[in-house]
Every structure is written in C-alpha cells, then in structure tokens.
Coordinates of all heavy atoms in Angstrom, one line a residue:
M1 N -180.6 -236.6 31.7 CA -181.6 -237.0 32.6 C -181.4 -236.4 33.9 O -180.3 -236.4 34.5 CB -181.7 -238.5 32.7 CG -182.7 -239.0 33.7 SD -182.9 -240.8 33.8 CE -181.5 -241.4 34.5
N2 N -182.5 -235.8 34.5 CA -182.4 -235.2 35.8 C -182.7 -236.3 36.9 O -183.8 -236.9 36.8 CB -183.4 -234.1 36.0 CG -183.0 -232.8 35.3 OD1 -181.8 -232.7 34.9 ND2 -183.9 -231.9 35.2
D3 N -181.8 -236.5 37.8 CA -182.1 -237.3 38.9 C -182.5 -236.5 40.1 O -182.1 -235.4 40.3 CB -180.8 -238.1 39.3 CG -180.5 -239.3 38.3 OD1 -181.4 -239.7 37.6 OD2 -179.4 -239.7 38.3
Y4 N -183.4 -237.0 40.8 CA -183.9 -236.4 42.0 C -183.2 -237.1 43.2 O -183.0 -238.3 43.2 CB -185.5 -236.6 42.1 CG -186.2 -235.6 41.3 CD1 -186.2 -235.7 39.9 CD2 -186.9 -234.6 41.8 CE1 -186.9 -234.9 39.1 CE2 -187.6 -233.7 41.0 CZ -187.6 -233.9 39.6 OH -188.3 -233.0 38.8
I5 N -182.9 -236.2 44.2 CA -182.3 -236.8 45.4 C -183.2 -236.6 46.6 O -184.1 -235.7 46.6 CB -180.9 -236.1 45.7 CG1 -181.1 -234.6 45.8 CG2 -179.9 -236.4 44.6 CD1 -179.9 -233.8 46.3
S6 N -183.0 -237.3 47.6 CA -183.7 -237.2 48.9 C -183.2 -236.0 49.7 O -182.0 -235.8 49.8 CB -183.6 -238.5 49.7 OG -184.2 -238.3 51.0
T7 N -184.1 -235.3 50.3 CA -183.7 -234.2 51.2 C -183.0 -234.7 52.5 O -182.3 -234.0 53.2 CB -184.9 -233.3 51.6 OG1 -185.9 -234.2 52.2 CG2 -185.4 -232.6 50.5
R8 N -183.1 -236.0 52.8 CA -182.5 -236.6 53.9 C -181.2 -237.4 53.6 O -180.4 -237.6 54.5 CB -183.5 -237.5 54.7 CG -184.6 -236.7 55.3 CD -185.4 -237.5 56.3 NE -186.4 -236.7 56.8 CZ -187.4 -237.2 57.6 NH1 -187.4 -238.5 57.9 NH2 -188.3 -236.5 58.1
D9 N -181.0 -237.8 52.4 CA -179.9 -238.5 52.0 C -179.6 -238.3 50.5 O -180.2 -238.9 49.6 CB -180.1 -240.0 52.2 CG -178.8 -240.8 51.9 OD1 -177.8 -240.3 51.5 OD2 -178.9 -242.1 52.0
A10 N -178.7 -237.3 50.2 CA -178.4 -237.0 48.9 C -177.7 -238.1 48.1 O -177.6 -238.0 46.8 CB -177.4 -235.7 48.9
H11 N -177.4 -239.2 48.7 CA -176.8 -240.3 48.0 C -177.9 -241.2 47.3 O -177.6 -242.0 46.5 CB -175.9 -241.1 48.9 CG -174.7 -240.4 49.3 ND1 -174.6 -239.7 50.5 CD2 -173.5 -240.2 48.7 CE1 -173.5 -239.2 50.7 NE2 -172.8 -239.4 49.6
Q12 N -179.1 -241.0 47.7 CA -180.2 -241.7 47.1 C -180.8 -240.9 46.0 O -181.4 -239.8 46.2 CB -181.4 -241.9 48.1 CG -181.0 -242.9 49.2 CD -182.2 -243.3 50.1 OE1 -183.4 -243.3 49.6 NE2 -182.0 -243.6 51.3
S13 N -180.6 -241.3 44.7 CA -181.1 -240.6 43.6 C -182.0 -241.5 42.7 O -181.7 -242.7 42.6 CB -180.0 -240.0 42.8 OG -179.2 -241.0 42.2
V14 N -183.0 -240.9 42.2 CA -184.0 -241.7 41.3 C -184.4 -240.8 40.2 O -184.2 -239.5 40.2 CB -185.2 -242.1 42.1 CG1 -184.9 -243.1 43.2 CG2 -186.0 -240.9 42.7
S15 N -184.9 -241.4 39.1 CA -185.4 -240.6 38.0 C -186.7 -239.9 38.4 O -187.3 -240.2 39.4 CB -185.7 -241.5 36.8 OG -186.8 -242.4 37.1
S16 N -187.1 -238.9 37.6 CA -188.3 -238.2 37.9 C -189.5 -239.1 37.9 O -190.4 -239.0 38.7 CB -188.5 -237.0 36.9 OG -188.5 -237.5 35.6
K17 N -189.5 -240.1 37.0 CA -190.6 -241.0 36.9 C -190.6 -241.8 38.2 O -191.7 -242.0 38.8 CB -190.4 -242.0 35.8 CG -191.5 -243.0 35.6 CD -191.2 -243.9 34.4 CE -192.3 -245.0 34.3 NZ -192.0 -245.9 33.2
Q18 N -189.5 -242.3 38.7 CA -189.5 -243.1 39.9 C -189.8 -242.2 41.1 O -190.5 -242.7 42.0 CB -188.1 -243.8 40.1 CG -188.1 -244.9 41.2 CD -189.1 -246.0 40.8 OE1 -189.1 -246.5 39.7 NE2 -190.0 -246.3 41.8
A19 N -189.4 -241.0 41.1 CA -189.8 -240.1 42.2 C -191.3 -239.9 42.3 O -191.9 -239.9 43.4 CB -189.1 -238.7 42.1
I20 N -192.0 -239.8 41.2 CA -193.4 -239.7 41.2 C -194.1 -240.9 41.7 O -195.0 -240.9 42.5 CB -193.9 -239.3 39.8 CG1 -193.5 -237.9 39.4 CG2 -195.4 -239.5 39.7 CD1 -193.7 -237.5 38.0
L21 N -193.6 -242.1 41.2 CA -194.1 -243.4 41.6 C -193.9 -243.6 43.1 O -194.8 -244.2 43.8 CB -193.5 -244.5 40.8 CG -193.9 -244.5 39.3 CD1 -193.1 -245.6 38.6 CD2 -195.4 -244.8 39.1
N22 N -192.8 -243.2 43.6 CA -192.5 -243.4 45.1 C -193.3 -242.5 45.9 O -193.6 -242.8 47.0 CB -191.0 -243.3 45.3 CG -190.1 -244.3 44.8 OD1 -190.6 -245.4 44.2 ND2 -188.8 -244.2 44.8
G23 N -193.4 -241.3 45.5 CA -194.1 -240.2 46.3 C -193.1 -239.6 47.3 O -192.8 -238.4 47.2
M24 N -192.6 -240.4 48.2 CA -191.6 -239.9 49.2 C -190.4 -240.9 49.1 O -190.6 -242.1 48.8 CB -192.1 -239.9 50.6 CG -193.1 -238.8 50.8 SD -193.7 -238.7 52.5 CE -192.2 -238.3 53.4
S25 N -189.3 -240.4 49.5 CA -188.1 -241.3 49.5 C -188.3 -242.3 50.7 O -188.9 -242.0 51.7 CB -186.8 -240.4 49.8 OG -185.7 -241.1 49.9
P26 N -187.7 -243.5 50.5 CA -187.8 -244.5 51.6 C -187.3 -244.0 53.0 O -187.8 -244.5 54.0 CB -187.0 -245.6 51.1 CG -186.9 -245.5 49.6 CD -186.9 -244.0 49.4
D27 N -186.4 -243.0 53.0 CA -185.9 -242.5 54.2 C -186.8 -241.4 54.8 O -186.5 -240.8 55.8 CB -184.5 -242.0 54.1 CG -184.4 -240.8 53.1 OD1 -185.4 -240.3 52.7 OD2 -183.2 -240.5 52.7
G28 N -188.0 -241.2 54.2 CA -188.9 -240.2 54.7 C -188.7 -238.8 54.2 O -189.4 -237.9 54.5
G29 N -187.6 -238.6 53.3 CA -187.3 -237.3 52.8 C -188.2 -237.0 51.5 O -188.9 -237.9 51.0
L30 N -188.1 -235.8 51.1 CA -188.7 -235.4 49.8 C -187.7 -235.5 48.7 O -186.5 -235.3 48.9 CB -189.3 -234.0 49.9 CG -190.3 -233.7 51.1 CD1 -190.6 -232.2 51.2 CD2 -191.5 -234.5 50.9
Y31 N -188.2 -235.8 47.5 CA -187.4 -235.7 46.3 C -187.3 -234.3 45.8 O -188.3 -233.7 45.6 CB -187.9 -236.7 45.2 CG -187.8 -238.1 45.6 CD1 -188.9 -239.0 45.7 CD2 -186.5 -238.7 45.7 CE1 -188.8 -240.3 46.0 CE2 -186.4 -240.1 46.0 CZ -187.5 -240.9 46.1 OH -187.4 -242.2 46.4
V32 N -186.1 -233.9 45.5 CA -185.8 -232.5 44.9 C -184.7 -232.7 43.9 O -183.9 -233.6 43.9 CB -185.4 -231.5 46.0 CG1 -186.6 -231.2 46.9 CG2 -184.2 -231.9 46.7
L33 N -184.7 -231.7 42.9 CA -183.6 -231.7 42.0 C -182.4 -231.1 42.7 O -182.5 -230.1 43.5 CB -183.9 -230.8 40.8 CG -184.8 -231.3 39.8 CD1 -185.2 -230.2 38.8 CD2 -184.2 -232.5 39.1
P34 N -181.2 -231.7 42.6 CA -180.0 -231.1 43.2 C -179.7 -229.7 42.7 O -179.0 -228.9 43.3 CB -178.9 -232.1 43.0 CG -179.4 -232.9 41.9 CD -180.9 -232.9 41.9
T35 N -180.2 -229.4 41.5 CA -179.9 -228.1 40.9 C -181.1 -227.1 41.0 O -181.2 -226.2 40.2 CB -179.6 -228.3 39.4 OG1 -180.7 -229.0 38.8 CG2 -178.3 -229.1 39.2
L36 N -182.0 -227.4 41.9 CA -183.2 -226.6 42.0 C -182.9 -225.1 42.2 O -183.6 -224.2 41.6 CB -184.0 -227.1 43.2 CG -185.4 -226.4 43.4 CD1 -186.3 -226.6 42.2 CD2 -186.1 -226.9 44.7
D37 N -181.9 -224.8 42.9 CA -181.5 -223.4 43.1 C -180.9 -222.7 41.9 O -180.8 -221.5 41.9 CB -180.5 -223.2 44.3 CG -179.2 -223.9 44.0 OD1 -179.2 -224.9 43.2 OD2 -178.2 -223.5 44.7
Q38 N -180.7 -223.4 40.9 CA -180.1 -222.9 39.6 C -181.2 -222.7 38.5 O -180.9 -222.2 37.5 CB -179.0 -223.8 39.1 CG -177.9 -223.9 40.0 CD -176.9 -225.0 39.6 OE1 -177.0 -225.5 38.4 NE2 -176.0 -225.4 40.5
I39 N -182.4 -223.1 38.8 CA -183.5 -222.9 37.9 C -184.1 -221.5 38.0 O -184.5 -221.1 39.0 CB -184.6 -224.0 38.1 CG1 -184.0 -225.4 37.9 CG2 -185.8 -223.7 37.2 CD1 -185.0 -226.5 38.3
H40 N -184.1 -220.8 36.8 CA -184.6 -219.5 36.8 C -185.9 -219.4 35.9 O -185.8 -219.9 34.7 CB -183.6 -218.5 36.3 CG -182.3 -218.5 37.1 ND1 -182.3 -217.9 38.3 CD2 -181.1 -219.1 36.9 CE1 -181.1 -218.1 38.9 NE2 -180.4 -218.8 38.0
L41 N -187.0 -218.9 36.4 CA -188.2 -218.8 35.7 C -188.6 -217.3 35.6 O -188.5 -216.6 36.6 CB -189.3 -219.6 36.3 CG -189.1 -221.1 36.4 CD1 -190.2 -221.7 37.3 CD2 -189.1 -221.7 35.1
D42 N -189.0 -216.9 34.4 CA -189.4 -215.5 34.2 C -190.9 -215.4 34.6 O -191.8 -215.8 33.9 CB -189.2 -215.1 32.7 CG -189.6 -213.7 32.5 OD1 -190.2 -213.0 33.4 OD2 -189.3 -213.2 31.4
L43 N -191.1 -215.0 35.8 CA -192.5 -214.9 36.4 C -193.4 -214.0 35.6 O -194.6 -214.3 35.4 CB -192.5 -214.6 37.8 CG -191.8 -215.6 38.8 CD1 -191.8 -215.1 40.2 CD2 -192.5 -216.9 38.6
S44 N -192.8 -212.9 35.1 CA -193.7 -212.0 34.3 C -194.2 -212.7 33.0 O -195.3 -212.5 32.5 CB -193.0 -210.7 34.0 OG -191.8 -211.0 33.2
L45 N -193.4 -213.6 32.4 CA -193.8 -214.3 31.2 C -194.7 -215.4 31.6 O -195.8 -215.6 30.9 CB -192.5 -214.9 30.5 CG -192.8 -215.8 29.3 CD1 -193.5 -215.0 28.2 CD2 -191.5 -216.4 28.8
I46 N -194.4 -216.2 32.6 CA -195.3 -217.3 33.1 C -196.7 -216.8 33.4 O -197.7 -217.4 33.1 CB -194.7 -218.0 34.3 CG1 -193.4 -218.8 33.8 CG2 -195.6 -218.9 34.9 CD1 -192.6 -219.4 34.8
C47 N -196.8 -215.6 34.0 CA -198.1 -215.1 34.4 C -199.0 -214.8 33.1 O -200.2 -214.7 33.3 CB -198.0 -213.8 35.2 SG -197.3 -214.2 36.9
T48 N -198.4 -214.6 32.0 CA -199.2 -214.2 30.8 C -199.5 -215.5 29.9 O -200.2 -215.4 28.9 CB -198.4 -213.2 29.9 OG1 -197.2 -213.8 29.4 CG2 -198.1 -212.0 30.7
M49 N -199.0 -216.6 30.3 CA -199.1 -217.8 29.5 C -200.3 -218.6 30.0 O -200.8 -218.5 31.2 CB -197.8 -218.7 29.6 CG -196.7 -218.0 29.0 SD -195.1 -218.7 29.3 CE -195.3 -220.4 28.7
S50 N -200.8 -219.5 29.1 CA -201.9 -220.4 29.5 C -201.4 -221.5 30.4 O -200.2 -221.8 30.5 CB -202.5 -221.0 28.2 OG -201.6 -222.0 27.7
Y51 N -202.4 -222.2 31.0 CA -202.0 -223.4 31.9 C -201.3 -224.4 31.1 O -200.3 -224.9 31.5 CB -203.3 -224.0 32.4 CG -203.1 -225.2 33.3 CD1 -202.8 -225.0 34.6 CD2 -203.2 -226.5 32.7 CE1 -202.5 -226.2 35.4 CE2 -202.9 -227.6 33.5 CZ -202.6 -227.4 34.8 OH -202.4 -228.5 35.6
K52 N -201.7 -224.7 29.9 CA -201.1 -225.7 29.0 C -199.6 -225.3 28.7 O -198.7 -226.1 28.7 CB -201.9 -225.9 27.7 CG -201.3 -226.9 26.8 CD -202.2 -227.1 25.6 CE -201.6 -228.2 24.7 NZ -202.5 -228.4 23.5
E53 N -199.4 -224.0 28.4 CA -198.1 -223.5 28.0 C -197.2 -223.6 29.3 O -196.0 -224.0 29.1 CB -198.1 -222.1 27.5 CG -198.8 -221.9 26.2 CD -199.1 -220.5 25.8 OE1 -199.4 -219.7 26.7 OE2 -199.0 -220.1 24.6
N54 N -197.7 -223.3 30.4 CA -196.9 -223.4 31.7 C -196.6 -224.9 32.0 O -195.5 -225.2 32.4 CB -197.7 -222.8 32.8 CG -197.5 -221.3 32.9 OD1 -196.4 -220.8 32.8 ND2 -198.6 -220.6 33.1
A55 N -197.5 -225.7 31.7 CA -197.3 -227.2 32.0 C -196.2 -227.7 31.2 O -195.3 -228.4 31.6 CB -198.6 -228.0 31.7
V56 N -196.1 -227.3 29.9 CA -195.0 -227.7 29.0 C -193.7 -227.3 29.5 O -192.7 -228.1 29.6 CB -195.3 -227.2 27.6 CG1 -194.0 -227.4 26.7 CG2 -196.5 -227.9 26.9
I57 N -193.6 -226.0 30.0 CA -192.3 -225.5 30.6 C -191.9 -226.3 31.8 O -190.8 -226.7 32.0 CB -192.5 -224.0 30.9 CG1 -192.5 -223.2 29.6 CG2 -191.3 -223.5 31.7 CD1 -192.8 -221.8 29.8
F58 N -192.9 -226.5 32.7 CA -192.6 -227.2 34.0 C -192.2 -228.6 33.7 O -191.3 -229.1 34.4 CB -193.7 -227.0 35.0 CG -193.8 -225.7 35.6 CD1 -194.6 -224.7 35.1 CD2 -193.0 -225.4 36.7 CE1 -194.6 -223.4 35.7 CE2 -193.0 -224.1 37.3 CZ -193.8 -223.1 36.8
F59 N -192.9 -229.3 32.8 CA -192.6 -230.7 32.5 C -191.2 -230.8 32.0 O -190.4 -231.7 32.3 CB -193.6 -231.3 31.6 CG -194.9 -231.7 32.3 CD1 -196.1 -231.6 31.6 CD2 -194.9 -232.2 33.6 CE1 -197.3 -232.0 32.2 CE2 -196.1 -232.6 34.2 CZ -197.3 -232.5 33.5
H60 N -190.9 -229.8 31.1 CA -189.5 -229.8 30.5 C -188.4 -229.7 31.5 O -187.4 -230.3 31.4 CB -189.5 -228.7 29.4 CG -188.1 -228.6 28.8 ND1 -187.6 -229.5 27.9 CD2 -187.1 -227.7 29.0 CE1 -186.3 -229.1 27.6 NE2 -186.0 -228.0 28.3
I61 N -188.7 -228.8 32.5 CA -187.7 -228.5 33.5 C -187.6 -229.7 34.5 O -186.5 -230.1 34.8 CB -188.0 -227.2 34.2 CG1 -187.8 -226.0 33.3 CG2 -187.1 -227.0 35.5 CD1 -188.3 -224.7 33.8
F62 N -188.7 -230.1 35.0 CA -188.7 -231.0 36.2 C -188.9 -232.5 35.8 O -188.6 -233.3 36.7 CB -189.8 -230.6 37.2 CG -189.6 -229.2 37.8 CD1 -190.3 -228.1 37.4 CD2 -188.6 -229.0 38.7 CE1 -190.1 -226.9 37.9 CE2 -188.3 -227.8 39.2 CZ -189.1 -226.7 38.9
L63 N -189.4 -232.8 34.7 CA -189.7 -234.2 34.4 C -189.1 -234.5 33.0 O -189.8 -235.0 32.1 CB -191.2 -234.4 34.3 CG -192.0 -234.0 35.6 CD1 -193.5 -234.2 35.4 CD2 -191.5 -234.9 36.8
Q64 N -187.8 -234.4 32.9 CA -187.2 -234.6 31.6 C -187.2 -236.0 31.1 O -186.9 -236.3 30.0 CB -185.7 -234.1 31.7 CG -185.7 -232.5 31.8 CD -184.3 -232.0 31.7 OE1 -183.3 -232.7 31.7 NE2 -184.2 -230.7 31.7
T65 N -187.4 -237.0 32.0 CA -187.5 -238.4 31.6 C -188.8 -238.7 30.9 O -188.9 -239.8 30.4 CB -187.2 -239.3 32.7 OG1 -188.2 -239.1 33.7 CG2 -185.8 -239.2 33.3
I66 N -189.8 -237.8 31.0 CA -191.1 -238.1 30.3 C -191.0 -237.6 28.9 O -190.6 -236.4 28.6 CB -192.2 -237.4 31.1 CG1 -192.3 -238.0 32.4 CG2 -193.5 -237.5 30.3 CD1 -193.4 -237.4 33.3
Q67 N -191.3 -238.4 27.9 CA -191.2 -238.0 26.5 C -192.3 -237.1 26.2 O -193.5 -237.2 26.6 CB -191.4 -239.3 25.6 CG -190.3 -240.3 25.9 CD -189.1 -240.1 25.1 OE1 -189.2 -239.6 24.0 NE2 -187.9 -240.5 25.6
R68 N -192.0 -236.0 25.3 CA -193.0 -235.1 24.9 C -193.6 -235.6 23.6 O -192.9 -236.0 22.6 CB -192.3 -233.7 24.6 CG -193.3 -232.7 24.2 CD -192.7 -231.4 24.0 NE -193.7 -230.4 23.4 CZ -193.4 -229.2 23.1 NH1 -192.2 -228.7 23.2 NH2 -194.4 -228.4 22.6
K69 N -194.9 -235.6 23.5 CA -195.6 -235.9 22.3 C -196.4 -234.7 21.8 O -196.9 -233.9 22.6 CB -196.6 -237.0 22.6 CG -196.0 -238.3 22.9 CD -197.0 -239.4 23.1 CE -196.3 -240.7 23.6 NZ -197.2 -241.8 23.7
N70 N -196.4 -234.5 20.5 CA -197.0 -233.3 20.0 C -198.5 -233.4 20.0 O -199.2 -234.3 19.9 CB -196.6 -233.1 18.5 CG -195.1 -232.7 18.4 OD1 -194.6 -232.1 19.4 ND2 -194.5 -233.0 17.4

C-alpha cells in the first residue's frame, strides 16, 4: 500500500483513499508519495494511449488502495 505524506510534515501519512477524502493535510500541506521522484513514465508510450488506458496506469501507480474491477 502506498502511503501519502504531507509536504509540511513527513510524519503524517495516510492512504491514497484518505488523501483524496481529506483534500489537503490538516497542517496545510499537500499529500505526495514519498517515492514520487522514483516513478518513471514512458511519455512516448503514454502519448499514444487512450485516456482510459492512461487512467489505468495512473490509478495503478498513485492509487494502489483502490481495487481494480474488470
């Protein structure tokens, strides 16, 4: 499970679901993945894919606590 941390206090972590529900961290920071700088996306591939295909990739990377249904 990917936990999101606040940009103002890395000790505050929440699930992706909770980050969406909260909107912003209670300390006024934004929620980000602590591993954001390690995510690599092939932009040449993404540009050739449909919106739906891109959404599946982004949900898989950023919202792993959300279950995928076929």
Side-chain angles (χ1 to χ4, degrees):
M1 174 170 73
N2 282 349
D3 283 341
Y4 281 69
I5 59 170
S6 170
T7 54
R8 293 192 180 172
D9 182 1
H11 294 97
Q12 290 189 31
S13 66
V14 297
S15 68
S16 55
K17 179 180 178 180
Q18 195 60 49
I20 292 169
L21 291 173
N22 290 353
M24 290 182 66
S25 177
D27 62 10
L30 302 174
Y31 288 115
V32 296
L33 284 174
T35 58
L36 186 61
D37 62 336
Q38 299 170 14
I39 295 173
H40 301 286
L41 298 172
D42 183 350
L43 294 179
S44 60
L45 176 63
I46 288 173
C47 290
T48 64
M49 296 168 58
S50 70
Y51 178 84
K52 183 177 179 180
E53 292 168 325
N54 278 313
V56 169
I57 290 173
F58 284 95
F59 283 144
H60 175 73
I61 293 171
F62 296 106
L63 304 174
Q64 292 184 355
T65 57
I66 295 177
Q67 301 274 329
R68 180 179 176 184
K69 294 182 182 180
N70 292 332

